[in-house]
Amino acid sequence: MRHGTQLNRESERTGMEPSKVYFTDMRALPGTNLQQKLKRLILKAGIGQIDFQDKYAAIKIHFGEPGNLSYLRPNFAKTVADAVKELGGRPFLTDCNTLYVGRRKNALDHIEAAYENGFSPFSTGCQIIIADGLKGTDEVDVPVRGGEYIREAHIGRAVMDADIFISLSHFKGHESTGFGGAIKNIGMGCGSRAGKMEMHSAGKPYVIEEQCVSCGMCAKSCAHDAISFAEDKKARIDHSLCAGCGRCIGICHRDAIKAADDESFDNLNQKVAEYTKAVVDGRSCFHISLVVDVSPQCDCHSGNDAAMVPDVGMFASFDPVALDVACADAVNAQPPIPNSQLKEHWDEGGDHFHKVGPNTNWKVGIAHAVKLGVGTTEYELIRV
């Protein structure tokens, strides 16, 4: 069955054929289970067409901020990792450190948070590697062909060192980008701390003076001599010298330095698309999204609101754009769940994500990804 949206004109201008998106629902009758269905889905979608033999395969996943319970279960990660190993590959689970203050700000805390949420080599059958290193500064500058906002994307080194890239995404709402799917998981998720700051911010980091204890660590870490201390012994950042790398944010043990976080949502979406382009360009990739526990906000929060719609199913494709559009269409076709944020804003018709995030427009990022050649919005949905 062929599908598409009003964004199809953009796809038609690129001359791209409809992409195949494979789908299976969440029904599991006696004698089968969801992990078996997921494996069947990704094999049918063609993951076996990739040459995995003796190759490193990065499986990009969100481990969930502790306290949040809507992130993907580790069982799904194990299914994908096991399939990669059966195909001869060497998988590892990965994510990059966060820009904001939380339990995933550095690699040690990040791995502990992953373990706390059930992700470990024992539960998933593969190792966990935080792609941008201990403090979020281990990065590769990757050129963005055709980029309008980003010349070089700052991507976690382990993501780029991998031979094959797989995104395993929890499809849900997002307060800044409209929804978080494959493109959000790839673009924002693979950015190092400097990359995340570049996407989120039009300005430079700043100091919260009342939290600064004058330890001097930020100044020592700054390669551009942009940080000094005034008579009150509080750190100051000279924005004329600051390169926006974010090292000071990672080094501050008092969380006294913050990113500007002042970029418009439309520009943020387009920057995320450009970072996605940097990650997937010219390499073997495969993408999986699970439309389950569709919470209205990101899994980065240390809590989650009730799901907006019933669980839909599992989707897979070689095209992350078509995958995101297919998932969004599937969510928008669902009725709101009572006592959910969507139900509170409900009226017939319209886009579910815009209802819970009226200041966001996910279609801007999708259109930009199409323009960059990341994929197409027109897709053929194949039920497995």
Side-chain angles (χ1 to χ4, degrees):
M1 184 181 298
R2 186 164 166 171
H3 294 257
T5 71
Q6 57 265 51
L7 294 170
N8 282 350
R9 295 192 191 95
E10 201 68 54
S11 294
E12 290 167 1
R13 282 197 290 270
T14 67
M16 298 181 73
E17 293 294 322
S19 293
K20 290 181 170 61
V21 177
Y22 292 78
F23 163 77
T24 189
D25 61 29
M26 303 301 288
R27 296 295 305 276
L29 300 176
T32 188
N33 60 51
L34 292 177
Q35 287 178 276
Q36 292 170 335
K37 291 190 71 174
L38 176 57
K39 181 179 181 181
R40 191 181 309 128
L41 173 75
I42 62 177
L43 289 175
K44 187 71 174 178
I47 194 172
Q49 297 172 23
I50 299 173
D51 177 13
F52 282 97
Q53 193 61 47
D54 298 324
K55 291 183 172 65
Y56 296 109
I59 302 174
K60 170 60 181 74
I61 193 169
H62 194 307
F63 297 114
E65 190 73 17
N68 186 296
L69 295 178
S70 66
Y71 59 89
L72 293 184
R73 289 179 175 86
N75 312 66
F76 294 120
K78 177 173 174 55
T79 299
V80 178
D82 285 349
V84 170
K85 287 190 289 185
E86 289 174 12
L87 292 167
R90 303 190 65 186
F92 62 93
L93 297 180
T94 193
D95 197 3
C96 286
N97 291 306
T98 60
L99 179 61
Y100 64 84
V101 175
R103 292 282 304 279
R104 298 177 299 119
K105 183 183 176 184
N106 63 73
L108 296 182
D109 291 346
H110 203 155
I111 291 174
E112 286 184 2
Y115 285 178
E116 185 175 316
N117 282 344
F119 295 91
S120 76
F122 307 104
S123 64
T124 65
C126 66
Q127 296 294 331
I128 295 171
I129 299 175
I130 304 306
D132 59 343
L134 180 62
K135 297 178 180 178
T137 57
D138 189 13
E139 62 196 21
V140 178
D141 292 337
V142 183
V144 181
R145 291 191 304 118
E148 298 177 15
Y149 297 87
I150 310 297
R151 290 183 57 195
E152 292 184 327
H154 312 300
I155 307 297
R157 185 173 300 276
V159 167
M160 299 312 298
D161 280 350
D163 303 299
I164 297 162
F165 179 81
I166 299 171
S167 64
L168 177 57
S169 308
H170 172 218
F171 194 89
K172 68 282 182 186
H174 194 279
E175 57 276 19
S176 299
T177 58
F179 64 67
I183 292 175
K184 176 68 165 54
N185 185 32
I186 300 166
M188 183 61 72
C190 291
S192 65
R193 175 165 289 110
K196 288 181 171 66
M197 185 158 65
E198 184 173 42
M199 286 181 274
H200 277 292
S201 305
K204 303 289 180 66
Y206 63 95
V207 178
I208 302 176
E209 294 185 6
E210 56 268 27
Q211 292 178 214
C212 175
V213 295
S214 309
C215 69
M217 292 298 293
C218 57
K220 291 178 182 178
S221 73
C222 182
H224 303 278
D225 296 324
I227 302 177
S228 60
F229 290 84
E231 292 182 2
D232 60 3
K233 297 183 179 181
K234 300 297 184 179
R236 301 285 192 279
I237 300 176
D238 184 342
H239 285 176
S240 68
L241 299 175
C242 175
C245 69
R247 290 177 184 270
C248 57
I249 297 175
I251 202 70
C252 182
H253 297 299
R254 296 288 179 167
D255 299 323
I257 304 178
K258 305 291 185 183
D261 198 18
D262 58 351
E263 187 58 279
S264 71
F265 289 160
D266 281 0
N267 285 355
L268 170 63
N269 263 317
Q270 292 176 96
K271 288 180 178 182
V272 170
E274 295 193 3
Y275 264 69
T276 299
K277 169 79 169 182
V279 172
V280 305
D281 205 13
R283 65 196 304 206
S284 296
C285 298
F286 189 77
H287 310 285
I288 308 158
S289 287
L290 275 61
V291 186
V292 297
D293 298 317
V294 185
S295 52
Q297 280 88 34
C298 182
D299 293 344
C300 288
H301 294 279
S302 58
N304 59 280
D305 198 2
M308 302 188 296
V309 298
D311 289 349
V312 177
M314 300 179 277
F315 296 75
S317 180
F318 284 102
D319 183 338
V321 177
L323 182 64
D324 270 357
V325 174
C327 291
D329 288 347
V331 169
N332 282 326
Q334 301 300 310
I337 291 178
N339 300 316
S340 69
Q341 193 174 138
L342 177 61
K343 183 64 174 178
E344 291 174 355
H345 297 86
W346 180 248
D347 53 37
E348 293 297 331
D351 182 81
H352 291 358
F353 304 103
H354 188 67
K355 290 180 187 296
V356 298
N359 295 320
T360 66
N361 182 5
W362 58 266
K363 295 175 184 177
V364 170
I366 293 292
H368 197 57
V370 172
K371 185 177 180 181
L372 291 165
V374 175
T376 174
T377 60
E378 194 169 349
Y379 62 93
E380 177 186 0
L381 191 66
I382 302 169
R383 191 179 186 99
V384 177

